[in-house]
Amino acid sequence: MEWENRESQENQNQRAENGGNVNGVMYVKVMTDEQLETLRKQIAVYATICEQLVEMHKSLSAQQDLAGGRLGNIYCDPLMTSAVHKITARQRWTPTPVQLQILESIFDQGNGTPSKQKIKEITTELSQHGQISETNVYNWFQNRRARSKRKQAVASSNNGESEVETEVDSLHEKKTKPENFSSQQNSAPRLADDLCFHSPEITSELHFLGDDHLTGKTGMSGNYNLYEHAEDYSMAG
Amino acid sequence: MEWENRESQENQNQRAENGGNVNGVMYVKVMTDEQLETLRKQIAVYATICEQLVEMHKSLSAQQDLAGGRLGNIYCDPLMTSAVHKITARQRWTPTPVQLQILESIFDQGNGTPSKQKIKEITTELSQHGQISETNVYNWFQNRRARSKRKQAVASSNNGESEVETEVDSLHEKKTKPENFSSQQNSAPRLADDLCFHSPEITSELHFLGDDHLTGKTGMSGNYNLYEHAEDYSMAG
DNA sequence: AGAGTATGAATGAACG
DNA sequence: CGTTCATTCATACTCT
């Protein structure tokens, strides 16, 4: 199976229980790209976690060996080796040499950020040389600009100094924003932030892992539907 | 599973790097029931495996404890360094899966940009699931709105390049084109109510499994520290 | 074939 | 608010 190559058609997700029949046109159950994407991510998460778990288990097993006991190694389960990669792999646009050529030249003309109209034109033109979308063009210019800027900054601010600080801060000296705003940004307590703030959600994460949404035992999902009512988040979930 | 029967709002489909027009024939990729089933199974497999691994690990931990030979936190030290590096580099808030879930839910209720008061409430609520500030919440809503809007705008404008309309397209409305500026969507398909994770959050997931190196060091769950190396990939430049 | 790099894409934050 | 910038993530590509 290869839904890796997602096409975008507009497919409104309508209930297609028994195969929909609309306007005399039969349609099948489809998933929107977005849905596919979500699924893909979910699987990717599982894949990663499994990988990590396996690693961990291996290490533990090793230790366990020393201790004497040992449990089976289920991680060899062939199930894991299925074509998950195909699903989890997302493909991305790659400009053809010709397209790149054109893009570069446009970029070199110095006409900074192309307007949307411009983007359209460019896209149109480039599509003669391969698949491309406006988004691609837009992103390309964004990235191009950002990176050339960055490169410059790096080049100029390369005064020998302690690395760790410089690489991020000196690059864009103006970036430093004081967190004196009405609300606290999390930049200040970075350290503590990163270290501690997981705890509250560990439980939720565990649900994700342990619950049976996927195995379909309870089929009861939508725990968060609690939030459906706009007014009372106070329920402190 | 339940993503099959979801009467969702209309969610136009975006996200298509390489349009679906080939030789003047628009083709769509749909998921058949068979594919859906396959996917479901795969996820279930992962879920099961994860579950087993976790269980196994628990057992191992227990045994290890009994064996008295807690191998300590040797793996803590090297990690700390990378962790620190990562921490110092972090400047921007990243919603945890739970937070995202909640935010999406609220956003889906369609009550526009929340008022100041509302923001406060939401922030309070979300802060139970991780570090967050009102500014973060505010920005999130702004971005969410802006991006879902832009997406629509782009969708309704199309260049005259690929002119092929398809049955599927005309079935609904002809307003989306194989191109997009944003991949986010406001009308969540709610395909996976409690399983919506984004790639960036994978790290969080992993942390959830093993991040006591940050909090407890020698904590009772020191075994999970094996996950440490998961941080390695976050040292991008 | 695995490590390292270039770069497309996603997204939080800021600007006008 | 809409647009743009900056940063980060994930993947394609390349080099050893």
Side-chain angles (χ1 to χ4, degrees), chain A residues 1 3 5-15 17 22 28-36 38-39 41-43 45-50 52-53 56-57 59-60 63-64 71-72 74 79-80 82 84 87 91-92 120 124 127-128 131 133-136 138 150 167-168 181 183-186 190-191 193-195 197-198 200-201 204-206 208-209 213-214 221-225 227-228 230-231 233 236-237, chain B residues 2 5 7-8 10-11 13-21 27-31 33 35-36 38-39 42-43 45-47 49-50 52-53 56-57 60 63-64 71 85 87-88 90-91 93 96-98 101-102 106 109 111 118 121 125 128-129 131-133 135-136 150 157 161 169 171-173 176 178-181 185 189-192 194-195 197-198 202 205-209 211 214-215 224 226-227 229:
Chain A
M1 39 181 156
W3 329 305
N5 223 343
R6 286 150 324 195
E7 304 310 327
S8 110
Q9 69 291 128
E10 89 172 4
N11 53 54
Q12 281 157 334
N13 190 16
Q14 25 194 296
R15 14 194 323 130
E17 283 123 307
V22 174
V28 295
K29 243 177 250 173
V30 302
M31 295 184 76
T32 62
D33 286 341
E34 194 187 358
Q35 289 174 320
L36 272 178
T38 304
L39 253 188
K41 283 175 181 169
Q42 287 176 222
I43 296 180
V45 167
Y46 268 121
T48 308
I49 291 180
C50 279
Q52 300 303 314
L53 280 168
M56 177 186 69
H57 176 248
S59 303
L60 279 172
Q63 297 178 13
Q64 201 71 32
L71 301 182
I74 63 163
L79 285 170
M80 281 189 65
S82 41
V84 174
I87 304 169
Q91 65 152 56
R92 74 183 197 187
K120 261 186 193 136
T124 300
S127 65
Q128 319 269 324
Q131 289 297 328
S133 78
E134 289 181 32
T135 309
N136 299 140
Y138 175 78
R150 190 181 192 100
E167 66 178 355
V168 177
F181 203 42
S183 45
Q184 97 290 18
Q185 285 291 342
N186 60 356
R190 292 177 256 188
L191 209 155
D193 141 33
D194 201 287
L195 297 193
F197 75 175
H198 300 92
E201 64 177 355
S204 310
E205 245 68 48
L206 278 171
F208 143 68
L209 243 195
H213 324 290
L214 293 172
S221 63
N223 314 342
Y224 281 106
N225 284 348
Y227 293 99
E228 225 63 277
E231 307 322 314
Y233 323 100
Chain B
E2 54 185 326
N5 265 344
E7 54 245 294
S8 55
E10 82 167 24
N11 54 65
N13 199 350
Q14 301 297 43
R15 167 161 267 316
E17 10 263 295
N18 308 322
N21 281 307
Y27 60 89
V28 298
K29 288 241 178 87
V30 302
M31 291 187 73
D33 287 339
Q35 288 176 320
L36 271 175
T38 304
L39 238 193
Q42 277 186 321
I43 297 181
V45 165
Y46 267 122
I49 291 177
C50 281
Q52 286 178 309
L53 284 167
M56 185 191 329
H57 173 252
L60 281 170
Q63 294 183 18
Q64 208 144 40
L71 295 194
H85 174 68
I87 292 164
T88 53
R90 177 193 298 267
Q91 320 204 323
W93 165 71
T96 68
V98 183
Q101 176 77 54
I102 298 173
I106 297 173
Q109 289 158 23
N111 300 326
K118 204 93 167 206
E121 295 174 15
E125 166 68 20
Q128 304 185 6
H129 301 284
Q131 181 72 11
I132 194 173
S133 78
T135 309
N136 297 140
R150 168 129 80 153
S157 66
E161 225 7 71
D169 271 59
L171 218 188
H172 311 298
E173 322 172 50
T176 41
E179 55 200 38
N180 67 321
F181 269 71
Q185 190 104 350
R190 313 184 47 76
L191 160 158
D194 15 16
L195 291 170
F197 298 108
H198 289 242
I202 290 181
E205 250 69 76
L206 294 178
H207 281 209
F208 122 69
L209 283 172
D211 70 351
L214 297 171
T215 57
Y224 284 108
L226 294 168
Y227 280 141
H229 66 73

Side-chain angles (χ1 to χ4, degrees), chain A:
Chain A
M1 39 181 156
E2 59 255 355
W3 329 305
E4 332 150 36
N5 223 343
R6 286 150 324 195
E7 304 310 327
S8 110
Q9 69 291 128
E10 89 172 4
N11 53 54
Q12 281 157 334
N13 190 16
Q14 25 194 296
R15 14 194 323 130
E17 283 123 307
N18 312 320
N21 198 324
V22 174
N23 297 336
V25 178
M26 193 69 164
Y27 60 90
V28 295
K29 243 177 250 173
V30 302
M31 295 184 76
T32 62
D33 286 341
E34 194 187 358
Q35 289 174 320
L36 272 178
E37 180 69 2
T38 304
L39 253 188
R40 191 191 67 75
K41 283 175 181 169
Q42 287 176 222
I43 296 180
V45 167
Y46 268 121
T48 308
I49 291 180
C50 279
E51 210 173 308
Q52 300 303 314
L53 280 168
V54 164
E55 281 311 307
M56 177 186 69
H57 176 248
K58 280 180 184 170
S59 303
L60 279 172
S61 293
Q63 297 178 13
Q64 201 71 32
D65 267 343
L66 301 178
R70 197 204 230 294
L71 301 182
N73 40 348
I74 63 163
Y75 51 80
C76 292
D77 200 316
L79 285 170
M80 281 189 65
T81 62
S82 41
V84 174
H85 255 83
K86 282 177 191 157
I87 304 169
T88 58
R90 170 176 30 197
Q91 65 152 56
R92 74 183 197 187
W93 167 71
T94 310
T96 68
V98 188
Q99 289 175 332
L100 241 185
Q101 200 58 234
I102 300 174
L103 285 168
E104 274 318 329
S105 64
I106 295 175
F107 182 81
D108 284 340
Q109 289 165 20
N111 305 324
T113 313
S115 64
K116 298 209 184 54
Q117 187 50 45
K118 199 90 174 177
I119 296 238
K120 261 186 193 136
E121 296 173 16
I122 297 173
T123 303
T124 300
E125 179 173 346
L126 289 183
S127 65
Q128 319 269 324
H129 304 284
Q131 289 297 328
I132 194 173
S133 78
E134 289 181 32
T135 309
N136 299 140
V137 177
Y138 175 78
N139 284 333
W140 191 88
F141 277 99
Q142 289 291 315
N143 282 317
R144 191 73 175 78
R145 192 144 33 94
R147 278 164 181 148
S148 78
K149 217 184 223 173
R150 190 181 192 100
K151 212 166 281 180
Q152 260 189 11
V154 170
S156 53
S157 79
N158 238 356
N159 321 321
E161 200 193 326
S162 169
E163 274 308 339
V164 199
E165 270 270 71
T166 347
E167 66 178 355
V168 177
D169 285 323
S170 309
L171 280 185
H172 36 263
E173 30 239 324
K174 68 108 178 182
K175 162 76 189 202
T176 36
K177 48 103 200 332
E179 46 263 73
N180 59 353
F181 203 42
S182 62
S183 45
Q184 97 290 18
Q185 285 291 342
N186 60 356
S187 41
R190 292 177 256 188
L191 209 155
D193 141 33
D194 201 287
L195 297 193
C196 311
F197 75 175
H198 300 92
S199 319
E201 64 177 355
I202 286 182
T203 27
S204 310
E205 245 68 48
L206 278 171
H207 280 312
F208 143 68
L209 243 195
D211 279 352
D212 26 23
H213 324 290
L214 293 172
T215 52
K217 278 179 218 151
T218 61
M220 171 48 197
S221 63
N223 314 342
Y224 281 106
N225 284 348
L226 296 167
Y227 293 99
E228 225 63 277
H229 352 297
E231 307 322 314
D232 37 7
Y233 323 100
S234 39
M235 46 81 67

